[in-house]
Coordinates of all heavy atoms in Angstrom, one line a residue:
M61 N -11.3 8.1 -0.8 CA -9.9 7.7 -0.9 C -9.1 9.0 -0.7 O -9.3 9.9 -1.5 CB -9.6 6.9 -2.2 CG -8.2 6.6 -2.4 SD -7.9 5.4 -3.7 CE -8.2 3.9 -2.9
N62 N -8.1 8.9 0.2 CA -7.3 10.1 0.3 C -6.1 10.1 -0.6 O -5.8 9.1 -1.2 CB -6.8 10.3 1.8 CG -5.9 9.2 2.3 OD1 -5.0 8.8 1.6 ND2 -6.2 8.7 3.5
T63 N -5.4 11.2 -0.7 CA -4.3 11.3 -1.7 C -3.1 10.4 -1.3 O -2.4 10.0 -2.3 CB -3.8 12.8 -1.8 OG1 -3.5 13.3 -0.5 CG2 -4.9 13.7 -2.4
I64 N -2.9 10.1 -0.1 CA -1.8 9.2 0.3 C -2.2 7.8 -0.3 O -1.3 7.1 -0.9 CB -1.6 9.1 1.8 CG1 -1.1 10.5 2.3 CG2 -0.7 8.0 2.2 CD1 -1.0 10.6 3.8
D65 N -3.4 7.4 -0.1 CA -3.8 6.1 -0.7 C -3.7 6.0 -2.2 O -3.2 5.0 -2.8 CB -5.2 5.7 -0.3 CG -5.4 5.5 1.2 OD1 -4.4 5.1 1.9 OD2 -6.5 5.7 1.7
V66 N -4.1 7.1 -2.8 CA -4.0 7.2 -4.3 C -2.5 7.1 -4.7 O -2.1 6.5 -5.7 CB -4.6 8.5 -4.8 CG1 -4.4 8.7 -6.3 CG2 -6.1 8.4 -4.6
A67 N -1.6 7.9 -4.0 CA -0.2 7.8 -4.3 C 0.4 6.4 -4.2 O 1.2 6.0 -5.0 CB 0.5 8.8 -3.4
L68 N 0.0 5.7 -3.1 CA 0.5 4.3 -3.0 C 0.0 3.4 -4.1 O 0.8 2.6 -4.6 CB 0.0 3.8 -1.6 CG 0.7 4.3 -0.4 CD1 0.0 3.8 0.9 CD2 2.2 4.0 -0.4
L69 N -1.2 3.6 -4.5 CA -1.8 2.8 -5.7 C -1.0 3.2 -6.9 O -0.6 2.3 -7.7 CB -3.2 3.1 -5.9 CG -4.2 2.3 -5.0 CD1 -5.6 2.9 -5.0 CD2 -4.2 0.9 -5.5
C70 N -0.8 4.5 -7.2 CA -0.1 4.9 -8.4 C 1.3 4.3 -8.4 O 1.9 3.9 -9.4 CB -0.1 6.4 -8.5 SG -1.7 7.1 -8.9
K71 N 2.0 4.3 -7.2 CA 3.3 3.8 -7.1 C 3.3 2.3 -7.4 O 4.2 1.8 -8.2 CB 3.9 4.1 -5.7 CG 5.3 3.6 -5.6 CD 5.9 4.0 -4.2 CE 7.3 3.5 -4.1 NZ 7.9 3.8 -2.8
A72 N 2.4 1.6 -6.9 CA 2.3 0.1 -7.1 C 2.0 -0.1 -8.6 O 2.5 -1.1 -9.2 CB 1.1 -0.5 -6.3
L73 N 1.2 0.7 -9.3 CA 0.9 0.5 -10.7 C 2.0 1.0 -11.6 O 1.8 0.9 -12.8 CB -0.5 1.1 -11.0 CG -1.6 0.4 -10.3 CD1 -2.9 1.2 -10.5 CD2 -1.8 -1.0 -10.7
S74 N 3.0 1.6 -11.1 CA 4.0 2.2 -12.0 C 5.0 1.2 -12.6 O 5.8 1.5 -13.4 CB 4.8 3.3 -11.2 OG 5.6 2.7 -10.2
D75 N 4.9 0.0 -12.2 CA 5.7 -1.1 -12.7 C 4.9 -1.9 -13.7 O 3.8 -2.3 -13.5 CB 6.2 -2.0 -11.5 CG 7.0 -3.2 -12.0 OD1 8.2 -3.0 -12.0 OD2 6.5 -4.2 -12.3
T76 N 5.5 -2.1 -14.9 CA 4.8 -2.8 -15.9 C 4.4 -4.2 -15.6 O 3.3 -4.7 -15.9 CB 5.6 -2.9 -17.3 OG1 6.9 -3.5 -17.0 CG2 5.9 -1.5 -17.8
N77 N 5.2 -5.0 -14.8 CA 4.8 -6.3 -14.4 C 3.6 -6.2 -13.5 O 2.6 -7.0 -13.7 CB 5.9 -7.0 -13.7 CG 7.0 -7.5 -14.6 OD1 6.8 -7.8 -15.7 ND2 8.2 -7.6 -14.1
R78 N 3.6 -5.3 -12.5 CA 2.4 -5.2 -11.6 C 1.2 -4.7 -12.4 O 0.1 -5.2 -12.1 CB 2.7 -4.3 -10.5 CG 3.8 -4.9 -9.5 CD 3.9 -4.1 -8.2 NE 4.5 -2.8 -8.3 CZ 5.8 -2.5 -8.2 NH1 6.6 -3.5 -7.9 NH2 6.2 -1.3 -8.3
L79 N 1.3 -3.9 -13.4 CA 0.2 -3.4 -14.2 C -0.4 -4.6 -14.9 O -1.6 -4.8 -15.0 CB 0.6 -2.3 -15.1 CG -0.5 -1.4 -15.7 CD1 -1.4 -0.9 -14.6 CD2 0.2 -0.3 -16.5
Q80 N 0.5 -5.5 -15.5 CA 0.0 -6.7 -16.2 C -0.7 -7.6 -15.3 O -1.7 -8.3 -15.6 CB 1.2 -7.4 -16.9 CG 1.7 -6.6 -18.1 CD 2.9 -7.3 -18.7 OE1 4.0 -7.5 -18.1 NE2 2.7 -7.8 -19.9
I81 N -0.1 -7.8 -14.0 CA -0.8 -8.6 -13.0 C -2.2 -8.2 -12.7 O -3.1 -9.0 -12.7 CB 0.1 -8.7 -11.7 CG1 1.4 -9.5 -12.0 CG2 -0.7 -9.3 -10.6 CD1 2.4 -9.3 -10.9
V82 N -2.4 -6.9 -12.6 CA -3.7 -6.3 -12.3 C -4.6 -6.6 -13.5 O -5.8 -7.0 -13.3 CB -3.6 -4.8 -12.0 CG1 -5.0 -4.2 -12.0 CG2 -2.9 -4.6 -10.6
Q83 N -4.1 -6.5 -14.7 CA -4.9 -6.8 -15.9 C -5.3 -8.2 -15.9 O -6.5 -8.6 -16.2 CB -4.2 -6.4 -17.1 CG -4.1 -5.0 -17.4 CD -3.3 -4.7 -18.7 OE1 -2.2 -5.2 -18.9 NE2 -3.8 -3.8 -19.5
M84 N -4.4 -9.1 -15.5 CA -4.7 -10.6 -15.5 C -5.8 -10.9 -14.4 O -6.6 -11.7 -14.6 CB -3.4 -11.4 -15.2 CG -2.4 -11.3 -16.4 SD -0.9 -12.1 -15.9 CE -1.4 -13.8 -15.7
L85 N -5.7 -10.2 -13.3 CA -6.6 -10.4 -12.2 C -8.0 -9.8 -12.5 O -9.0 -10.1 -11.8 CB -6.1 -9.9 -10.9 CG -4.8 -10.6 -10.4 CD1 -4.3 -9.9 -9.1 CD2 -5.1 -12.1 -10.1
S86 N -8.1 -9.0 -13.5 CA -9.4 -8.3 -13.7 C -10.5 -9.3 -14.2 O -11.7 -9.0 -14.1 CB -9.2 -7.2 -14.8 OG -8.9 -7.7 -16.0
D87 N -10.1 -10.5 -14.6 CA -11.1 -11.5 -15.0 C -11.3 -12.6 -14.0 O -11.8 -13.6 -14.2 CB -10.9 -12.0 -16.4 CG -9.6 -12.9 -16.5 OD1 -8.8 -12.9 -15.5 OD2 -9.4 -13.5 -17.6
G88 N -10.7 -12.3 -12.8 CA -11.0 -13.3 -11.7 C -9.7 -13.7 -11.0 O -8.6 -13.4 -11.4
E89 N -9.9 -14.4 -9.9 CA -8.8 -14.9 -9.0 C -7.9 -15.8 -9.8 O -8.3 -16.6 -10.7 CB -9.4 -15.7 -7.9 CG -8.4 -16.2 -6.9 CD -9.1 -17.0 -5.7 OE1 -9.4 -18.2 -6.0 OE2 -9.3 -16.4 -4.7
K90 N -6.6 -15.7 -9.5 CA -5.5 -16.5 -10.1 C -4.6 -17.0 -9.0 O -4.2 -16.3 -8.1 CB -4.7 -15.7 -11.1 CG -5.5 -15.0 -12.2 CD -5.6 -16.0 -13.4 CE -6.3 -15.3 -14.6 NZ -7.6 -14.7 -14.4
C91 N -4.1 -18.2 -9.2 CA -3.1 -18.8 -8.4 C -1.8 -18.2 -8.8 O -1.5 -17.8 -9.9 CB -3.1 -20.3 -8.6 SG -1.8 -21.2 -7.7
A92 N -0.9 -18.0 -7.8 CA 0.4 -17.5 -8.0 C 1.1 -18.3 -9.1 O 1.9 -17.7 -9.9 CB 1.2 -17.4 -6.8
C93 N 0.9 -19.6 -9.2 CA 1.6 -20.4 -10.2 C 1.2 -20.0 -11.6 O 2.0 -20.0 -12.5 CB 1.3 -21.9 -9.9 SG -0.4 -22.4 -9.9
K94 N -0.1 -19.6 -11.8 CA -0.6 -19.2 -13.1 C -0.1 -17.9 -13.5 O 0.3 -17.6 -14.6 CB -2.1 -19.2 -13.1 CG -2.8 -20.6 -13.0 CD -2.4 -21.4 -14.1 CE -3.0 -22.8 -14.0 NZ -2.6 -23.7 -15.0
L95 N 0.1 -17.0 -12.5 CA 0.7 -15.7 -12.7 C 2.1 -15.8 -13.2 O 2.6 -15.2 -14.1 CB 0.6 -14.8 -11.5 CG -0.9 -14.4 -11.1 CD1 -0.8 -13.7 -9.7 CD2 -1.5 -13.5 -12.1
L96 N 2.8 -16.7 -12.5 CA 4.3 -16.9 -12.7 C 4.5 -17.4 -14.1 O 5.5 -17.0 -14.8 CB 4.9 -17.8 -11.7 CG 6.4 -17.9 -11.5 CD1 7.0 -16.5 -11.3 CD2 6.8 -18.8 -10.4
E97 N 3.6 -18.2 -14.6 CA 3.7 -18.8 -16.0 C 3.8 -17.7 -17.0 O 4.3 -17.9 -18.1 CB 2.6 -19.7 -16.3 CG 2.6 -21.0 -15.5 CD 1.4 -21.9 -15.7 OE1 0.5 -21.4 -16.5 OE2 1.3 -22.9 -15.1
Q98 N 3.2 -16.6 -16.8 CA 3.0 -15.5 -17.8 C 4.2 -14.5 -17.8 O 4.3 -13.7 -18.7 CB 1.8 -14.7 -17.5 CG 0.5 -15.5 -17.5 CD 0.3 -16.2 -18.8 OE1 0.4 -15.6 -19.9 NE2 0.0 -17.5 -18.8
F99 N 5.2 -14.7 -16.9 CA 6.3 -13.8 -16.8 C 7.6 -14.5 -16.8 O 7.7 -15.7 -16.5 CB 6.2 -13.0 -15.5 CG 5.0 -12.1 -15.4 CD1 3.9 -12.5 -14.8 CD2 5.0 -10.9 -16.0 CE1 2.7 -11.8 -14.7 CE2 3.9 -10.0 -15.9 CZ 2.7 -10.5 -15.3
E100 N 8.6 -13.8 -17.2 CA 10.0 -14.4 -17.2 C 10.7 -13.8 -15.9 O 11.7 -13.1 -16.0 CB 10.8 -14.1 -18.5 CG 10.2 -14.8 -19.7 CD 10.9 -14.5 -20.9 OE1 12.1 -14.0 -20.9 OE2 10.4 -14.8 -22.0
I101 N 10.1 -14.1 -14.8 CA 10.7 -13.6 -13.5 C 10.7 -14.8 -12.5 O 10.0 -15.8 -12.8 CB 9.8 -12.5 -12.9 CG1 8.4 -12.9 -12.7 CG2 9.9 -11.2 -13.8 CD1 7.5 -11.9 -12.0
T102 N 11.4 -14.7 -11.5 CA 11.5 -15.7 -10.5 C 10.4 -15.7 -9.5 O 9.7 -14.6 -9.4 CB 12.8 -15.6 -9.7 OG1 12.8 -14.4 -9.0 CG2 14.1 -15.7 -10.6
Q103 N 10.2 -16.7 -8.8 CA 9.1 -16.7 -7.8 C 9.3 -15.6 -6.7 O 8.3 -15.0 -6.3 CB 9.0 -18.1 -7.1 CG 7.8 -18.3 -6.2 CD 8.0 -17.8 -4.8 OE1 9.1 -17.9 -4.3 NE2 7.0 -17.2 -4.2
P104 N 10.5 -15.4 -6.2 CA 10.7 -14.4 -5.2 C 10.3 -13.0 -5.8 O 9.8 -12.1 -5.1 CB 12.2 -14.4 -4.8 CG 12.5 -15.9 -5.1 CD 11.7 -16.3 -6.3
T105 N 10.6 -12.8 -7.1 CA 10.3 -11.5 -7.7 C 8.8 -11.3 -7.8 O 8.2 -10.3 -7.5 CB 10.9 -11.4 -9.1 OG1 12.4 -11.5 -8.9 CG2 10.6 -10.0 -9.8
L106 N 8.1 -12.4 -8.1 CA 6.6 -12.3 -8.2 C 6.1 -12.1 -6.8 O 5.2 -11.2 -6.6 CB 6.0 -13.7 -8.7 CG 4.5 -13.7 -8.7 CD1 3.9 -12.7 -9.7 CD2 4.0 -15.1 -9.0
S107 N 6.6 -12.7 -5.8 CA 6.2 -12.4 -4.4 C 6.4 -11.0 -4.0 O 5.5 -10.4 -3.3 CB 7.0 -13.3 -3.4 OG 6.6 -14.7 -3.6
Y108 N 7.5 -10.4 -4.4 CA 7.7 -9.0 -4.1 C 6.6 -8.1 -4.8 O 6.0 -7.2 -4.2 CB 9.1 -8.5 -4.6 CG 9.3 -7.0 -4.6 CD1 9.6 -6.4 -3.4 CD2 9.1 -6.3 -5.8 CE1 9.7 -5.0 -3.4 CE2 9.3 -4.9 -5.7 CZ 9.6 -4.3 -4.5 OH 9.7 -2.9 -4.5
H109 N 6.3 -8.4 -6.1 CA 5.3 -7.6 -6.8 C 3.9 -7.8 -6.1 O 3.2 -6.8 -5.9 CB 5.2 -8.1 -8.2 CG 6.3 -7.6 -9.1 ND1 6.8 -6.3 -9.1 CD2 7.1 -8.3 -9.9 CE1 7.8 -6.2 -9.9 NE2 8.0 -7.4 -10.4
M110 N 3.6 -9.0 -5.7 CA 2.3 -9.3 -5.1 C 2.2 -8.6 -3.7 O 1.2 -8.1 -3.3 CB 2.1 -10.8 -4.9 CG 2.0 -11.5 -6.3 SD 1.1 -10.7 -7.6 CE -0.5 -10.7 -6.9
K111 N 3.3 -8.6 -3.0 CA 3.3 -7.9 -1.7 C 3.1 -6.5 -1.8 O 2.3 -5.9 -1.1 CB 4.7 -8.1 -1.0 CG 4.8 -7.5 0.4 CD 6.2 -7.7 1.0 CE 6.3 -6.9 2.3 NZ 7.6 -6.4 2.6
T112 N 3.7 -5.8 -2.9 CA 3.4 -4.4 -3.1 C 2.0 -4.2 -3.5 O 1.4 -3.2 -3.0 CB 4.3 -4.0 -4.3 OG1 5.7 -4.2 -4.0 CG2 4.1 -2.5 -4.6
L113 N 1.4 -5.0 -4.3 CA 0.0 -4.8 -4.7 C -1.0 -5.1 -3.5 O -2.0 -4.4 -3.4 CB -0.4 -5.8 -5.8 CG 0.3 -5.4 -7.2 CD1 0.1 -6.5 -8.2 CD2 -0.3 -4.1 -7.7
C114 N -0.6 -6.0 -2.6 CA -1.5 -6.3 -1.5 C -1.4 -5.2 -0.4 O -2.4 -4.8 0.2 CB -1.1 -7.6 -0.8 SG -1.5 -9.1 -1.8
E115 N -0.1 -4.6 -0.2 CA 0.1 -3.6 0.8 C -0.7 -2.3 0.4 O -1.1 -1.6 1.3 CB 1.5 -3.3 0.9 CG 2.3 -4.4 1.7 CD 3.7 -4.1 1.9 OE1 4.3 -3.2 1.2 OE2 4.4 -4.8 2.7
C116 N -0.9 -2.0 -0.8 CA -1.6 -0.8 -1.2 C -3.1 -1.1 -1.2 O -3.9 -0.1 -1.4 CB -1.2 -0.2 -2.5 SG -1.7 -1.1 -4.0
G117 N -3.5 -2.3 -1.0 CA -4.9 -2.7 -0.9 C -5.6 -3.0 -2.2 O -6.8 -3.3 -2.2
L118 N -4.9 -3.0 -3.3 CA -5.5 -3.3 -4.6 C -5.8 -4.8 -4.8 O -6.7 -5.1 -5.5 CB -4.6 -2.7 -5.7 CG -5.2 -2.7 -7.1 CD1 -6.5 -2.0 -7.2 CD2 -4.2 -2.1 -8.1
V119 N -5.0 -5.6 -4.2 CA -5.1 -7.1 -4.4 C -5.2 -7.7 -3.0 O -4.6 -7.4 -2.0 CB -3.8 -7.6 -5.1 CG1 -3.8 -9.1 -5.1 CG2 -3.7 -7.0 -6.5
D120 N -6.1 -8.7 -3.0 CA -6.3 -9.6 -1.8 C -5.6 -11.0 -2.1 O -5.6 -11.4 -3.2 CB -7.8 -9.8 -1.5 CG -8.5 -8.5 -1.1 OD1 -7.8 -7.7 -0.4 OD2 -9.6 -8.3 -1.5
V121 N -5.2 -11.6 -1.0 CA -4.6 -12.9 -1.1 C -5.4 -13.9 -0.3 O -5.9 -13.6 0.8 CB -3.1 -12.9 -0.7 CG1 -2.9 -12.5 0.7 CG2 -2.5 -14.3 -1.0
R122 N -5.6 -15.1 -0.8 CA -6.2 -16.2 -0.1 C -5.3 -17.4 -0.2 O -4.9 -17.8 -1.2 CB -7.6 -16.5 -0.8 CG -8.3 -17.7 -0.2 CD -9.6 -18.0 -0.9 NE -9.4 -18.4 -2.3 CZ -9.1 -19.7 -2.7 NH1 -9.0 -20.6 -1.8 NH2 -9.0 -20.0 -4.0
K123 N -5.0 -17.9 1.0 CA -4.1 -19.0 1.1 C -4.9 -20.3 1.0 O -5.9 -20.4 1.6 CB -3.3 -19.0 2.4 CG -2.4 -17.8 2.6 CD -1.2 -17.9 1.8 CE -0.3 -16.7 2.1 NZ 1.0 -16.7 1.5
D124 N -4.4 -21.3 0.3 CA -5.0 -22.6 0.2 C -3.9 -23.6 0.2 O -3.2 -23.9 -0.9 CB -5.8 -22.7 -1.1 CG -6.6 -24.0 -1.2 OD1 -6.7 -24.7 -0.2 OD2 -7.0 -24.3 -2.4
G125 N -3.6 -24.1 1.4 CA -2.4 -25.0 1.5 C -1.1 -24.2 1.3 O -0.9 -23.1 1.8
K126 N -0.3 -24.7 0.4 CA 0.9 -24.0 0.0 C 0.8 -23.0 -1.1 O 1.7 -22.3 -1.4 CB 2.0 -25.0 -0.3 CG 1.8 -25.7 -1.7 CD 3.0 -26.6 -2.0 CE 2.8 -27.2 -3.4 NZ 4.1 -27.9 -3.8
W127 N -0.4 -22.9 -1.6 CA -0.7 -22.0 -2.7 C -1.3 -20.7 -2.3 O -2.1 -20.7 -1.4 CB -1.6 -22.6 -3.8 CG -1.0 -23.9 -4.3 CD1 -1.5 -25.2 -4.1 CD2 0.1 -24.1 -5.2 NE1 -0.7 -26.1 -4.7 CE2 0.3 -25.4 -5.4 CE3 1.0 -23.2 -5.7 CZ2 1.3 -25.9 -6.2 CZ3 2.0 -23.7 -6.5 CH2 2.2 -25.0 -6.7
S128 N -1.0 -19.6 -3.0 CA -1.6 -18.3 -2.7 C -2.4 -18.0 -4.0 O -2.0 -18.1 -5.1 CB -0.5 -17.2 -2.6 OG 0.2 -17.5 -1.4
H129 N -3.6 -17.5 -3.7 CA -4.6 -17.1 -4.8 C -4.8 -15.7 -4.6 O -5.2 -15.2 -3.5 CB -5.9 -18.0 -4.7 CG -5.6 -19.4 -4.9 ND1 -5.7 -20.0 -6.1 CD2 -5.3 -20.4 -4.0 CE1 -5.5 -21.3 -5.9 NE2 -5.2 -21.6 -4.6
Y130 N -4.7 -14.9 -5.7 CA -4.8 -13.5 -5.7 C -6.1 -13.0 -6.5 O -6.4 -13.6 -7.5 CB -3.6 -12.8 -6.3 CG -2.3 -13.1 -5.5 CD1 -1.5 -14.2 -5.8 CD2 -2.0 -12.4 -4.3 CE1 -0.4 -14.5 -5.0 CE2 -0.9 -12.6 -3.6 CZ -0.1 -13.7 -3.9 OH 1.0 -13.9 -3.2
S131 N -6.7 -11.9 -6.0 CA -7.8 -11.3 -6.6 C -7.8 -9.8 -6.4 O -7.2 -9.4 -5.4 CB -9.1 -11.9 -6.1 OG -9.2 -11.7 -4.7
L132 N -8.4 -9.1 -7.3 CA -8.5 -7.6 -7.1 C -9.5 -7.3 -5.9 O -10.5 -8.0 -5.7 CB -9.0 -7.0 -8.3 CG -8.1 -7.0 -9.5 CD1 -8.8 -6.3 -10.7 CD2 -6.8 -6.3 -9.2
N133 N -9.2 -6.3 -5.2 CA -10.1 -5.8 -4.1 C -11.0 -4.8 -4.8 O -10.6 -3.7 -5.2 CB -9.2 -5.1 -3.0 CG -10.1 -4.6 -1.9 OD1 -11.0 -3.9 -2.1 ND2 -9.8 -5.0 -0.7
G134 N -12.3 -5.2 -4.9 CA -13.2 -4.4 -5.6 C -13.5 -3.0 -5.0 O -13.7 -2.0 -5.7
E135 N -13.5 -3.0 -3.7 CA -13.7 -1.7 -3.0 C -12.6 -0.7 -3.3 O -12.8 0.5 -3.6 CB -13.8 -1.9 -1.5 CG -15.1 -2.6 -1.1 CD -15.2 -2.8 0.4 OE1 -14.5 -2.1 1.2 OE2 -16.0 -3.7 0.9
T136 N -11.3 -1.2 -3.2 CA -10.2 -0.3 -3.5 C -10.2 0.2 -4.9 O -10.0 1.3 -5.2 CB -8.9 -1.0 -3.1 OG1 -8.9 -1.4 -1.7 CG2 -7.7 -0.1 -3.4
L137 N -10.5 -0.8 -5.8 CA -10.5 -0.4 -7.2 C -11.6 0.6 -7.5 O -11.4 1.6 -8.3 CB -10.7 -1.7 -8.1 CG -10.7 -1.5 -9.6 CD1 -9.3 -0.9 -10.0 CD2 -10.9 -2.8 -10.3
A138 N -12.8 0.4 -6.9 CA -13.9 1.3 -7.2 C -13.6 2.7 -6.6 O -13.8 3.7 -7.3 CB -15.2 0.8 -6.5
A139 N -12.9 2.8 -5.4 CA -12.5 4.1 -4.9 C -11.5 4.8 -5.7 O -11.6 6.0 -5.9 CB -12.0 3.9 -3.4
F140 N -10.6 4.0 -6.3 CA -9.5 4.6 -7.2 C -10.2 5.1 -8.4 O -9.9 6.2 -8.9 CB -8.5 3.5 -7.5 CG -7.3 4.0 -8.3 CD1 -6.5 5.0 -7.8 CD2 -7.0 3.4 -9.5 CE1 -5.4 5.5 -8.6 CE2 -5.9 3.8 -10.2 CZ -5.1 4.9 -9.8
Q141 N -11.1 4.3 -9.0 CA -11.8 4.7 -10.2 C -12.6 6.0 -10.0 O -12.6 6.9 -10.8 CB -12.7 3.6 -10.7 CG -12.0 2.5 -11.3 CD -12.9 1.3 -11.7 OE1 -13.8 1.0 -10.9 NE2 -12.6 0.6 -12.8
Q142 N -13.2 6.1 -8.8 CA -14.0 7.3 -8.4 C -13.1 8.5 -8.3 O -13.4 9.6 -8.8 CB -14.7 7.1 -7.1 CG -15.6 8.2 -6.7 CD -16.4 7.9 -5.5 OE1 -16.2 7.0 -4.8 NE2 -17.4 8.8 -5.2
F143 N -11.9 8.3 -7.7 CA -11.0 9.4 -7.6 C -10.5 9.9 -9.0 O -10.6 11.1 -9.3 CB -9.7 9.0 -6.8 CG -8.7 10.0 -6.7 CD1 -8.7 11.0 -5.7 CD2 -7.6 10.1 -7.6 CE1 -7.8 12.0 -5.6 CE2 -6.7 11.1 -7.5 CZ -6.7 12.1 -6.5
I144 N -10.1 9.0 -9.8 CA -9.7 9.3 -11.2 C -10.8 10.0 -12.0 O -10.6 10.9 -12.7 CB -9.1 8.1 -11.9 CG1 -7.9 7.5 -11.2 CG2 -8.9 8.4 -13.4 CD1 -6.7 8.4 -11.2
G145 N -12.0 9.4 -11.8 CA -13.2 10.0 -12.5 C -13.5 11.4 -12.1 O -14.1 12.1 -12.8
G146 N -13.2 11.7 -10.8 CA -13.4 13.0 -10.3 C -12.5 14.1 -10.8 O -12.7 15.3 -10.5
L147 N -11.4 13.7 -11.4 CA -10.5 14.7 -12.0 C -11.1 15.3 -13.2 O -11.7 14.6 -14.0 CB -9.1 14.0 -12.3 CG -8.4 13.3 -11.1 CD1 -7.1 12.6 -11.6 CD2 -8.0 14.4 -10.1
S148 N -10.8 16.5 -13.4 CA -11.3 17.2 -14.6 C -10.2 18.1 -15.2 O -9.3 18.5 -14.5 CB -12.5 18.0 -14.4 OG -12.3 19.0 -13.4
Y149 N -10.3 18.4 -16.4 CA -9.4 19.2 -17.1 C -10.2 20.4 -17.8 O -11.2 20.2 -18.4 CB -8.7 18.4 -18.2 CG -7.8 19.3 -19.1 CD1 -6.6 19.7 -18.7 CD2 -8.2 19.6 -20.4 CE1 -5.8 20.5 -19.5 CE2 -7.4 20.4 -21.2 CZ -6.2 20.8 -20.7 OH -5.4 21.6 -21.5
S150 N -9.7 21.6 -17.5 CA -10.3 22.7 -18.2 C -9.2 23.7 -18.6 O -8.2 23.8 -17.9 CB -11.3 23.4 -17.3 OG -10.7 23.9 -16.1
K151 N -9.4 24.3 -19.7 CA -8.4 25.3 -20.2 C -8.7 26.7 -19.7 O -9.8 27.1 -19.5 CB -8.3 25.3 -21.7 CG -7.7 24.0 -22.2 CD -7.5 24.2 -23.7 CE -6.7 23.0 -24.3 NZ -6.4 23.1 -25.7

């Protein structure tokens, strides 16, 4: 994962709602309607957050009729974890 991709992921995760969405998706796919129930935001605002998470590659969307179902992209998450894990701190 290059630094541009990491920066896009960090930017996407810099919003508390999007961070909560990622946490919710960590236990499996969720319908947009279920995500919306957990927040005091409008449907267009949720769509904006989901678009941001999808564009950085962290979240995948599956359409089923009029419903959108979201899940974490395991490859992107693993690459991000590997990048973070490769950071070290020394004095």
Side-chain angles (χ1 to χ4, degrees):
M61 175 168 276
N62 65 45
T63 55
I64 293 172
D65 293 335
V66 172
L68 288 172
L69 275 166
C70 289
K71 183 177 179 181
L73 293 174
S74 68
D75 180 89
T76 57
N77 286 330
R78 290 193 291 267
L79 199 50
Q80 287 178 297
I81 290 166
V82 169
Q83 286 178 314
M84 291 173 66
L85 294 176
S86 68
D87 66 352
E89 182 181 81
K90 301 274 186 302
C91 177
C93 58
K94 293 296 179 189
L95 294 171
L96 194 56
E97 289 174 1
Q98 301 301 313
F99 297 95
E100 293 182 16
I101 59 175
T102 64
Q103 187 278 325
T105 301
L106 177 66
S107 291
Y108 170 78
H109 289 310
M110 299 316 298
K111 180 181 178 214
T112 301
L113 290 168
C114 288
E115 284 178 346
C116 75
L118 188 57
V119 171
D120 293 324
V121 62
R122 177 180 65 83
K123 301 282 187 176
D124 185 16
K126 68 176 187 170
W127 302 110
S128 294
H129 299 266
Y130 296 96
S131 59
L132 291 179
N133 180 308
E135 289 179 22
T136 301
L137 184 59
F140 185 59
Q141 288 173 323
Q142 183 177 11
F143 176 86
I144 296 298
L147 299 176
S148 61
Y149 172 76
S150 61
K151 288 187 175 185

